[in-house]
Amino acid sequence: MTATRARRSTWIALAAAPALVLAACSSGDGGSTDEESGTADAGMETTETIEITLAHSYTEDQPQHRCGAQVIADEVEAADVGLTIEIFPASQLGGDADRIASVVSGDIDMDIQGASALGAVYEPISVMDAAFGFDDPDHLAAFMASDESSVLVDGFAEATGVQTLGVWSAGARHFTTVDTPIRTPEDLDGVRMRFPGSPQYLLNAEALGATATEVAYEELYLALQNGTVDGQENPITNIVAQNFAEVQDYLSLSAHQLNTNLVIMSPIWQELSAEQQEALTAAVEMAVTEVTACVAEDEEVTLEEWRNGDEWEIVDDVDRDAFSEKAEAFFMETFTGESLEVYEAMRATAG
């Protein structure tokens, strides 16, 4: 077994907050560690350079790569602690589901995943993608920096052996439509609105008052062009990348859901030295801050261009309170067990 496959992790780096030491988690062979025993070998002198694989599904020009994965790799290299990171972007190591399984097995060391995708191995974590679960990126950061987040990260680690190293917002999702702008939940009546096919996104559609039409992301432009669907919802960065302005008229700034990305790591932390642990923790924390800033900057530039152009009719007066109240009432009735516990913990940290 190589050194890369043997390492184990029990730490979490959080946005805009000091790193927190996680509680005990199960190792791949059923053993367990605590804060002391999990790092018992951390003081060992580094004798060789350890290469960590970091995979994700994003293109190299998206914030998740250039301000996230690349920042992690650069910061770790600059620390010069015998630790390097090799990045595999654009699903080079497989699609989301395949990579999740590989992180659990230890074949991939680190990955950047959306919360809904991770729900395939631990359903409650998908609640992070609930509509209006987070008010804004500051709320997400406040949740991850709070004790309330332990119900999520500890539950995920106990169920899968996978650790959450950091969480960032990849932008808010907004509605676009071809004929009718979306200002209230009632405006969704009769609109064939495309939502992703994951369970949480389909719940979001119901919570917001929409009737979801499932279309693969790769087929969405054509579906909008030929009228199979009337509208869709995505972050601004995706709306730009897919040229949806060519087949849609209205952009309703609903910000009804934060796209959350989690930096996860297979249980490979124990054989890293204390210096390597510190360098990796600091690198992920830096990336969390950088991605949030990059997304905000990209969105600001794009919206300014759109407001000065004629590509879109931008709808600013969306009744977000009406959508938020409707969604919260729905989820409080629909979620149960651990999912409800996670949702309540998220809402408890709202400003």
Side-chain angles (χ1 to χ4, degrees):
M1 180 179 293
T2 66
T4 301
R5 295 280 75 81
R7 302 181 302 279
R8 295 292 181 265
S9 172
T10 55
W11 259 74
I12 176 171
L14 302 177
L20 302 179
V21 179
L22 293 182
C25 65
S26 296
S27 65
D29 60 2
S32 63
T33 63
D34 56 27
E35 291 180 0
E36 291 190 30
S37 63
T39 58
D41 296 330
M44 295 177 62
E45 183 178 352
T46 302
T47 58
E48 63 178 311
T49 297
I50 300 173
E51 184 175 89
I52 288 176
T53 55
L54 170 55
H56 63 76
S57 61
Y58 304 100
T59 62
E60 294 186 37
D61 61 346
Q62 288 184 281
Q64 292 95 329
H65 177 86
R66 57 186 173 85
C67 303
Q70 193 62 57
V71 167
I72 294 172
D74 291 346
E75 290 293 311
V76 166
E77 182 177 1
D80 193 21
V81 291
L83 189 65
T84 64
I85 294 178
E86 183 175 6
I87 305 172
F88 295 88
S91 300
Q92 291 180 20
L93 298 187
D96 287 347
D98 291 336
R99 296 199 320 277
I100 293 167
S102 294
V103 172
V104 172
S105 68
D107 291 331
I108 293 176
D109 299 325
M110 297 177 66
D111 198 10
I112 300 171
Q113 288 273 2
S116 293
L118 293 176
V121 294
Y122 180 61
E123 183 176 350
I125 205 167
S126 65
V127 175
M128 295 188 75
D129 276 343
F132 290 99
F134 294 111
D135 297 341
D136 51 39
D138 288 341
H139 179 194
L140 171 62
F143 170 70
M144 293 308 302
S146 73
D147 292 340
E148 300 287 347
S149 66
S150 63
V151 65
L152 180 68
V153 284
D154 290 353
F156 184 41
E158 291 168 5
T160 65
V162 174
Q163 308 301 316
T164 305
L165 300 181
V167 181
W168 60 58
S169 167
R173 300 177 78 91
H174 307 280
F175 291 117
T176 70
T177 47
V178 69
D179 290 322
T180 306
I182 305 300
R183 290 185 170 89
T184 70
E186 290 72 26
D187 292 333
L188 289 170
D189 290 345
V191 176
R192 293 169 299 177
M193 185 65 69
R194 180 265 181 183
F195 280 79
S198 73
Q200 183 57 56
Y201 280 95
L202 297 179
L203 281 178
N204 286 350
E206 189 174 354
L208 297 170
T211 300
T213 300
E214 296 182 43
V215 177
Y217 183 68
E218 296 77 12
E219 301 170 3
L220 181 51
Y221 182 96
L222 182 60
L224 292 167
Q225 185 179 52
N226 64 26
T228 302
V229 292
D230 304 313
Q232 63 85 45
E233 48 86 61
N234 256 298
I236 287 173
T237 52
N238 288 10
I239 293 171
V240 172
Q242 295 298 313
N243 296 314
F244 290 147
E246 297 176 352
V247 289
Q248 297 276 269
D249 299 321
Y250 297 95
L251 170 65
S252 297
L253 297 177
S254 52
H256 55 270
Q257 178 204 328
L258 285 190
N259 249 32
T260 54
N261 287 149
L262 293 88
V263 183
I264 60 174
M265 191 171 194
S266 60
I268 59 172
W269 185 267
Q270 287 94 324
E271 294 189 11
L272 299 184
S273 71
E275 280 187 312
Q276 290 168 338
Q277 292 177 347
E278 183 178 356
L280 185 55
T281 299
V284 173
E285 187 174 352
M286 174 70 76
V288 169
T289 301
E290 290 293 321
V291 169
T292 302
C294 282
V295 169
E297 182 179 353
D298 286 0
E299 290 184 345
E300 182 179 359
V301 170
T302 299
L303 281 174
E304 183 176 359
E305 292 176 354
W306 284 347
R307 291 185 191 281
N308 293 329
D310 56 4
E311 289 183 281
W312 292 99
E313 183 169 335
I314 296 178
V315 181
D316 289 300
D317 59 339
V318 177
D319 191 347
R320 296 187 72 247
D321 288 340
F323 278 111
S324 177
E325 291 168 7
K326 185 178 182 67
E328 185 164 0
F330 174 84
F331 290 129
M332 289 298 292
E333 291 183 1
T334 303
F335 286 140
T336 60
E338 289 181 84
S339 293
L340 178 59
E341 190 176 1
V342 169
Y343 182 75
E344 290 178 328
M346 288 162 49
R347 295 308 304 157
T349 55

